[in-house]
Amino acid sequence: MKITCLNLSLQIASIRQELEKAMGKTIEHCTFCLGPDVIDFEQQFARFCNVQHAVAVNSGTSALHLALRLLCIGPGDEVITTPYTFASTSWAISYMGARPVYVDIEDSTFNIDAAQVEKAITPKTKAILPVHLYGLPCSLSHLLKVASAHSLPLVEDAAQAHGGIYRGRKVGSFGTLSCFSFHPAKNLGAFGEGGAILTNDATLAARARSLREHGTKQRYYHNEIGYNYRMEGLQAAVLCVKLKHLTAWIKGRRRVAELYSQMLADVPLRLPIEPQGCRSAWHLYTIRHPKRDQLKKFLLQQGIECSIHYPRPLHLQQCYTPLGYRVGDFPVAERASVECLSLPIYPELTGEQIEFVCSQIRHFFLG
Ligand SMILES: *Cc1c(COP(=O)(O)O)cnc(C)c1O
């Protein structure tokens, strides 16, 4: 048996006709940059997250960059964030000339440790930027309390968490701004790049719309220096079709996660958890063990592909040596980076395949 981390062809095959019909319409209308599909997608995605405004852009990285631009973050400012995420969470801070200030993660969830955030606040702090890593909502109520006590905006990096639920509400609806990615490998993926900013603030949304399109409200009149961060019409057409299936797909991911957790319960491994009040979007199912590298190699020999998210925390990346962090500064993140292993997860994974993965893991540990 051969099992890959992700299999998009199965998902595409299941909705191929719908996709081709939607893309055919866009091609007929030649609405390739923004246009009616993008407007439809913005409305539908905003409704899905129960937020008033969605502004679609060309990547999650652009969404994060725009969010910090909207908050007027600049040189000399600090933004508190997690060292244990995909690098682009920190890029947004760096693009604005500000400084990422890292806070270690919780050992149990891989998400930023809300209890340590307050200590990291200085007069230069301008925002808090947590991530819902692997689809699991971070400690939003604690973080929002700290943010409001210090009058700081909270920006959610929800790039991995479409459909994640915190205390009954979708993630992306808690922060002043929240950012999503529609990279093909995410829970909701385009046929290329895509992203979105969500907010309940009409002024911020209007400025985001202008900034994503060269800083214009009226063509060829530039209010401020902007970007070309427009979402493409074809990507929006694909996303409108896929969004209709997202809830069912997340259910499918949950089924995979629950089967893994049942079948691996007696193996000496650390399994992912959902704290009280959190429902993960199960973007990834990430286990932990000190023998991670041997396990990964063994599983690959059995035809099972796993991946490592992430092998090096951001404070130890070469590009961030100027920040002056050292090994040992964030021990929980550092330990996670050598122990984590993400098992294959996607809604179409069969019971038989899941059983095979678990039997091979059991074989590795229990003989
Ligand atoms: C994927 C991802 C991003 C970046 O999104 P792109 O669309 O690839 O630019 C940002 N943050 C996190 C946590 C991500 O997983």
Side-chain angles (χ1 to χ4, degrees), residues 85-317:
T85 173
F86 182 60
S88 107
T89 314
S90 275
W91 290 165
I93 303 165
S94 302
Y95 291 169
M96 297 310 298
R99 180 187 168 89
V101 171
Y102 297 120
V103 166
D104 210 351
I105 57 170
E106 296 171 341
D107 194 49
S108 55
T109 65
F110 302 97
N111 277 330
I112 193 167
D113 186 350
Q116 293 190 51
V117 166
E118 195 151 34
K119 281 184 298 196
I121 294 175
T122 75
K124 294 178 180 172
T125 307
K126 292 288 146 54
I128 303 174
L129 174 52
V131 179
H132 308 301
L133 201 72
Y134 309 152
L136 181 71
C138 64
S139 297
L140 280 162
S141 68
H142 196 156
L143 288 169
L144 285 166
K145 223 178 272 167
V146 174
S148 102
H150 294 267
S151 306
L152 293 169
L154 184 119
V155 179
E156 294 173 69
D157 181 341
Q160 302 187 358
H162 327 62
I165 293 174
Y166 184 80
R167 300 195 178 168
R169 264 169 64 195
K170 294 263 171 64
V171 303
S173 64
F174 292 86
T176 303
L177 293 152
S178 65
C179 302
F180 286 85
S181 162
F182 307 115
H183 176 277
K186 310 287 185 184
N187 283 13
L188 178 61
F191 278 2
E193 310 283 346
I197 296 185
L198 271 61
T199 182
N200 285 317
D201 183 323
T203 313
L204 289 177
R207 187 161 173 235
R209 283 181 207 292
S210 158
L211 280 171
R212 79 170 163 187
E213 202 177 15
H214 304 290
T216 55
K217 286 199 171 90
Q218 188 189 351
R219 193 180 258 186
Y220 305 128
Y221 292 87
H222 304 274
N223 318 354
E224 54 183 334
I225 295 171
Y227 311 93
N228 178 357
Y229 281 175
R230 290 179 295 232
M231 177 176 273
E232 295 181 354
L234 283 168
Q235 303 306 341
V238 168
L239 289 167
C240 282
V241 170
K242 286 195 173 192
L243 181 57
K244 293 196 193 90
H245 302 276
L246 183 59
T247 303
W249 288 338
I250 290 168
K251 253 191 214 149
R253 290 176 172 277
R254 167 168 299 277
R255 175 191 61 92
V256 176
E258 283 173 356
L259 284 172
Y260 275 143
S261 293
Q262 279 165 25
M263 293 184 193
L264 297 172
D266 60 338
V267 182
L269 270 175
R270 287 178 66 192
L271 305 178
I273 59 154
E274 284 179 308
Q276 188 85 40
C278 291
R279 275 175 87 78
S280 180
W282 291 111
H283 175 57
L284 294 173
Y285 187 93
T286 304
I287 61 174
R288 289 182 63 160
H289 197 275
K291 286 194 183 150
R292 185 265 318 271
D293 292 328
Q294 288 123 288
L295 176 61
K296 181 171 187 274
K297 205 170 139 202
F298 173 80
L299 291 174
L300 197 60
Q301 283 162 356
Q302 317 310 315
I304 301 163
E305 188 186 277
C306 296
S307 43
I308 296 171
H309 305 93
Y310 295 92
R312 179 173 291 171
L314 293 177
H315 69 289
L316 301 179
Q317 294 285 351

Side-chain angles (χ1 to χ4, degrees), residues 1-4 7 10 252 255-257 259-260 263 344-358:
M1 210 181 289
K2 233 181 129 50
I3 304 177
T4 51
N7 184 331
L10 289 172
R255 175 191 61 92
V256 176
L259 284 172
Y260 275 143
M263 293 184 193
I345 187 165
Y346 49 88
E348 298 82 5
L349 210 56
T350 66
E352 196 189 356
Q353 288 173 313
I354 297 163
E355 238 169 79
F356 180 68
V357 174
C358 294

